[in-house]
Amino acid sequence: MNDTIARDEPAAAPASSAQPKKVFVKTYGCQMNVYDSQRMADALAAEGYSPTDAIEDADLVLLNTCHIREKAAEKVYSELGRIRKLKAERGERGRETIVGVAGCVAQAEGDEIIRRAPVVDLVIGPQTYHRLPQAVRKARAGEKVVETDYAIEDKFERLPALRKAEVRSRGVTAFLTVQEGCDKFCTFCVVPYTRGSETSRPVAQILAEAQRLGEAGVREVTLLGQNVNAWHGEGPDGSEWGLGQLLFRLVEVPGIARLRYTTSHPRDMDDALIAAHRDLPALMPYLHLPVQAGSDRILKAMNRRHTADDYLRLIERIRAANPDIAMSGDFIVGFPGETDADFEATMRLVREVGYAQAFSFKYSPRPGTPGAEMPLHVAEHVKDGRLQALQALLGEQQAAFLKSRVGLTMDVLIEKPGRQPGQIVGRSPWLQPVIVDEKAGEIGDIVRVRITKTGHASLFSEPV
């Protein structure tokens, strides 16, 4: 078992105990960035930094950035302009503020960030945040630090042990990164360039972290990866495991009652993983399986390496294994060369699948990707119209799925207090928030309820 995660030792003494230091982390983008932000905070705890939600009180400000959406870098520079004023004001009061940029924009921009925004003291990529404590020490000594080389060493091995108190403060659900990077090279996506090639954590390391989460009271774990179902980690006997085999092992971890995983690629849904959806009640019946488009011509231009029919036949197999499963997806409209007929093919696919939830976006060029260099870019007003039509259809499907839950009896994991007195909020097996009477149970309990009505995106219930 991985000793660096499994030990329950006190954190190292802070670098300086003269005055407690605080770190403010702003997280952009995906669930993996949320996980990364938490682990960066864990790494900084040994340097004497405690988290704060008030940026004006922070001795260290970290922006953990995402490069997926349009103008992501410009949004970061805009935020840094506001932070520059804050840093100047604190300096006038004799308080030092270190400013860092982490994540995928950091990886993509590197030294350019410090050139354009001198307020930044350190830049650190997603593969090197285990080096963050050393980078902060250098920055406090007056050095401008850029750490964006892909690390040779395993960053997860070098992170400090998860501390029970920190895990408990985050709630009864948790993310656990098992896979990073991408080898698919979809022509619209920057992830292979910012996160690197696909790498998988070994089984022992994942189990140690899962056991740590279970000991701290976490009831539901979501496994994360850019292509999480491409995970193929080394097992205890040295053999290579797949995600399905890992899920069968994780259900044995004490305390962990529910499992999820995201994000998947259709090409990596193998028989063992589909069997897990059939045989494991702890694996929630909700699958995020992006297709991006319904036109084979556009899928080929995107380098997705599957057809619309491949995707639909895969959905049939998954639903045959677990008829209760709800599907979620991602869609891009207006990819270069997309015609009205191509877009209609996407609409047909959506109608055929029937999604419980989906995310849809207009295509926006990412610098350095093949898609940005393609001809026949679609006009913005055409993208707008297509996106509105697609989102209207997806909205109808989401509302229909919510309505189909009314009258069902289901197990709900209680997560937090409700907004109204007498209410608590849980999570359904299909990820919707469920409003529950507070007498039904306590945070961390899994309670049986009957769904009585729907809200905008939530469900209301009565105890059974």
Side-chain angles (χ1 to χ4, degrees):
M1 187 173 291
N2 175 14
D3 194 43
T4 60
I5 295 179
R7 289 196 308 261
D8 193 10
E9 296 178 354
S16 171
S17 57
Q19 184 175 5
K21 300 189 292 292
K22 296 181 179 180
V23 56
F24 173 88
V25 183
K26 182 170 183 176
T27 306
Y28 301 78
C30 65
Q31 294 101 325
M32 190 173 287
N33 267 15
V34 174
Y35 174 89
D36 286 352
S37 291
Q38 291 172 346
R39 298 302 278 136
M40 283 191 281
D42 293 337
L44 289 166
E47 296 295 302
Y49 285 93
S50 60
T52 179
D53 293 328
I55 189 171
E56 60 272 9
D57 295 337
D59 303 282
L60 170 60
V61 175
L62 276 177
L63 304 182
N64 191 12
T65 60
C66 175
H67 210 289
I68 294 297
R69 298 292 163 246
E70 186 176 11
K71 300 179 180 176
E74 294 309 315
K75 292 175 182 176
V76 172
Y77 288 119
S78 177
E79 183 71 16
L80 289 171
R82 290 187 285 271
I83 292 172
R84 179 178 57 81
K85 297 176 184 178
L86 173 70
K87 182 172 182 175
E89 291 169 0
R90 281 175 55 86
E92 291 171 359
R93 300 197 304 269
R95 296 293 302 273
E96 178 189 46
T97 306
I98 300 297
V99 178
V101 177
C104 291
V105 171
Q107 187 69 39
E109 299 275 311
D111 293 285
E112 178 69 5
I113 293 176
I114 289 179
R115 188 190 70 79
R116 286 186 58 180
V119 67
V120 175
D121 301 292
L122 67 94
V123 176
I124 194 158
Q127 304 307 321
T128 49
Y129 66 71
H130 57 295
R131 301 175 185 169
L132 182 59
Q134 299 94 311
V136 170
R137 287 198 293 270
K138 291 178 182 177
R140 293 187 70 193
E143 184 179 341
K144 294 285 187 177
V145 183
V146 178
E147 284 272 12
T148 55
D149 293 335
Y150 288 104
I152 298 174
E153 70 272 20
D154 179 359
K155 71 179 178 185
F156 295 102
E157 286 279 3
R158 294 173 178 266
L159 288 169
L162 286 173
R163 297 183 301 163
K164 289 183 182 180
E166 288 297 328
V167 175
R168 288 194 183 103
S169 70
R170 294 169 188 163
V172 295
T173 64
F175 296 127
L176 198 171
T177 292
V178 300
Q179 182 271 346
E180 284 193 290
C182 183
D183 295 340
K184 301 296 189 291
F185 287 93
C186 297
T187 55
F188 55 80
C189 186
V190 297
V191 166
Y193 311 102
T194 58
R195 288 276 183 173
S197 59
E198 289 180 0
T199 58
S200 298
R201 297 177 70 183
V203 173
Q205 200 180 90
I206 294 167
L207 288 178
E209 188 165 339
Q211 287 162 357
R212 201 72 172 161
L213 294 170
E215 291 169 2
V218 169
R219 306 303 313 281
E220 178 179 296
V221 172
T222 300
L223 307 182
L224 297 180
Q226 267 81 36
N227 281 306
V228 68
N229 55 344
W231 177 87
H232 50 279
E234 181 183 352
D237 59 354
S239 66
E240 185 175 276
W241 289 25
L243 188 63
Q245 190 174 2
L246 177 65
L247 289 164
F248 275 93
R249 177 62 183 87
L250 283 170
V251 298
E252 301 172 3
V253 175
I256 305 300
R258 289 180 159 193
L259 292 170
R260 304 181 189 271
Y261 63 91
T262 195
T263 292
S264 302
H265 195 287
R267 293 180 60 240
D268 295 316
M269 287 293 301
D270 61 16
D271 292 342
L273 187 51
I274 294 174
H277 281 284
R278 181 191 64 212
D279 298 335
L280 295 179
L283 180 57
M284 293 294 96
Y286 180 90
L287 176 59
H288 186 66
L289 191 64
V291 63
Q292 307 298 356
S295 160
D296 288 348
R297 196 176 68 84
I298 296 301
L299 288 170
K300 184 176 182 180
M302 289 177 167
N303 194 35
R304 293 290 291 173
R305 288 182 281 180
H306 62 77
T307 66
D309 189 66
D310 293 337
Y311 182 82
L312 292 170
R313 300 295 77 77
L314 177 60
I315 298 292
E316 286 181 1
R317 291 178 58 209
I318 294 167
R319 284 178 166 161
N322 185 346
D324 288 333
I325 203 160
M327 299 304 303
S328 172
D330 288 346
F331 294 90
I332 295 172
V333 302
F335 190 77
E338 184 186 70
T339 64
D340 289 343
D342 293 323
F343 175 67
E344 181 53 37
T346 296
M347 297 288 277
R348 282 198 305 273
L349 182 143
V350 171
R351 293 187 192 101
E352 186 164 348
V353 172
Y355 288 90
Q357 186 178 1
F359 304 94
S360 52
F361 311 93
K362 294 187 297 182
Y363 172 74
S364 58
R366 300 270 70 82
T369 61
E373 306 301 322
M374 288 181 178
L376 303 175
H377 280 250
V378 178
E380 284 300 315
H381 74 276
V382 175
K383 292 183 194 176
D384 290 337
R386 290 175 183 171
L387 184 63
Q388 290 174 19
L390 176 59
Q391 290 183 339
L393 175 58
L394 291 170
E396 290 172 6
Q397 292 187 347
Q398 181 177 350
F401 182 80
L402 278 174
K403 190 174 181 180
S404 73
R405 303 302 93 180
V406 175
L408 293 184
T409 298
M410 65 181 67
D411 291 331
V412 170
L413 171 62
I414 305 302
E415 290 188 332
K416 59 186 178 182
R419 293 181 180 179
Q420 302 297 327
Q423 292 180 346
I424 48 180
V425 180
R427 187 186 304 213
S428 84
W430 302 279
L431 269 183
Q432 296 91 5
V434 182
I435 311 302
V436 181
D437 188 297
E438 67 177 358
K439 298 185 182 68
E442 299 180 352
I443 292 172
D445 289 344
I446 295 176
V447 300
R448 196 82 169 155
V449 302
R450 182 180 296 106
I451 303 304
T452 57
K453 63 178 181 178
T454 69
H456 173 66
S458 60
L459 301 168
F460 290 81
S461 70
E462 60 185 14
V464 174

